Amino acid sequence: MTCTWSPEHYREILESARAEGYPIVKVSEVGTALPEGPFFLVRHDIDISMEAAHAMALLEADMGITTCYYVRLHSPFYNALAPDHAARIREIADMGHEVGLHYEPGYYESMGQQVAEGIASDIHTLETLLGGKTLSVSQHEPSIGPVVKILPEGYPCAYQRHLVLDTKYFGDSGFRWREGCICEKLGEIEQIHTLIHPANWMRDAVPWEEVLRRHAKTAAERIHRLMEEHIVSQRAYLARRDEIDAARRARYDS
Ligand SMILES: [Zn+2]
Ligand SMILES: [Zn+2]
């Protein structure tokens, strides 16, 4: 196995975990206490690309594997509440993955909000989007943020002590493992928690800076496509405006 940041190597990692006999567990399943025996907890924080997250969710579902995806409501790079991205989030949940809030203490603080209130409010918004209760949460940028001690009841956080200190934890943040690729840990360590950012893996074989620029290009292409659709609809509206205005006036009287 050659370690690359690629969908192919990610698939190999999952195949290896399966061959080694690891149950792949979700945060909600180990959120209150650690079970006995081996497990591979795979968690995805959707930091910058909904498209990459959706592609990774499909890759896993294709293998019959379900994991955890955490959604930001304040990402500058995607809009979880826009119709197309909301649809993707619902599709990820429909595949059987656990979807939860990737809460952003820095955002709440910058808005003068209490962190606990911001989290509760965002969970409510995400659950409205999904049409059901979510089961867990994960913190965005925990290394530079506060350790949030008060979380809403019933929403275990992926960053609790027992999941990141008592369990061996390996994250791919910044396209750099601190202790070598996660594939080397499988079969060596019994209980593993890994953070896999979809945008780091669902990508072309180019340097990481270029990977991020290409995600920006994908985001820009989405806006261009939506704007072209908006132009078409504006033209259609202008062509029929008198008729539409008359119909609107008539609705006041009906
Ligand atoms: Zn590897
Ligand atoms: Zn994050």
Side-chain angles (χ1 to χ4, degrees):
M1 231 174 349
T2 310
C3 294
T4 53
W5 300 93
S6 66
E8 293 75 25
H9 190 45
Y10 182 61
R11 186 182 282 272
E12 286 174 344
I13 289 165
L14 293 178
E15 280 166 356
S16 167
R18 188 179 261 167
E20 293 285 348
Y22 285 91
I24 295 179
V25 299
K26 301 191 173 72
V27 170
S28 65
E29 294 169 321
V30 293
T32 44
L34 288 179
E36 293 288 318
F39 67 76
F40 189 40
L41 171 59
V42 181
R43 182 181 115 237
H44 306 295
D45 291 346
I46 310 177
D47 279 354
I48 61 170
S49 171
M50 186 56 67
E51 288 75 13
H54 190 263
M56 183 163 268
L58 281 173
L59 182 157
E60 291 172 341
D62 182 52
M63 298 177 72
I65 288 171
T66 52
T67 62
C68 301
Y69 287 80
Y70 294 94
V71 176
R72 296 172 69 180
L73 295 192
H74 311 289
S75 172
F77 304 117
Y78 66 86
N79 181 357
L81 304 183
D84 57 334
H85 282 168
R88 295 244 159 153
I89 294 167
R90 293 175 77 141
E91 283 165 21
I92 291 171
D94 287 345
M95 291 176 212
H97 300 292
E98 183 162 305
V99 174
L101 177 70
H102 194 34
Y103 63 90
E104 300 169 70
Y107 172 82
Y108 310 130
E109 284 166 352
S110 75
M111 301 299 280
Q113 267 178 295
Q114 294 293 323
V115 170
E117 282 171 21
I119 293 171
S121 163
D122 281 354
I123 286 174
H124 178 73
T125 301
L126 182 62
E127 291 184 344
T128 302
L129 185 164
L130 287 166
K133 190 185 176 304
T134 56
L135 301 176
S136 55
V137 295
S138 155
Q139 181 174 356
H140 179 56
E141 295 184 334
S143 54
I144 56 168
V147 173
V148 179
K149 297 256 167 67
I150 307 165
L151 283 161
E153 186 77 25
Y155 295 90
C157 180
Y159 282 99
Q160 292 171 95
R161 172 182 292 271
H162 76 276
L163 293 179
V164 291
L165 296 182
D166 304 339
T167 304
K168 286 297 281 179
Y169 173 66
F170 305 96
D172 70 349
S173 296
F175 299 81
R176 199 164 300 169
W177 299 106
R178 286 180 175 85
E179 302 169 60
C181 181
I182 191 67
C183 72
E184 298 161 11
K185 317 300 174 194
L186 294 164
E188 300 294 319
I189 298 169
E190 192 178 39
Q191 299 189 330
I192 304 176
H193 175 189
T194 189
L195 166 59
I196 301 277
H197 290 93
N200 290 7
W201 298 79
M202 308 309 285
R203 53 173 272 190
D204 302 325
V206 292
W208 67 266
E209 294 93 335
E210 190 56 30
V211 168
L212 295 179
R213 291 189 187 106
R214 289 192 187 183
H215 286 310
K217 194 159 169 278
T218 302
E221 283 164 0
R222 168 178 171 270
I223 294 292
H224 278 287
R225 189 182 66 252
L226 291 170
M227 196 59 81
E228 288 302 325
E229 289 169 14
H230 180 61
I231 289 168
V232 169
S233 99
Q234 284 288 288
R235 283 191 180 130
Y237 161 71
L238 288 171
R240 295 180 53 233
R241 185 153 69 177
D242 291 347
E243 187 189 328
I244 289 167
D245 286 351
R248 169 77 187 168
R249 272 194 302 277
R251 284 205 294 280
Y252 281 104
D253 300 330
S254 63

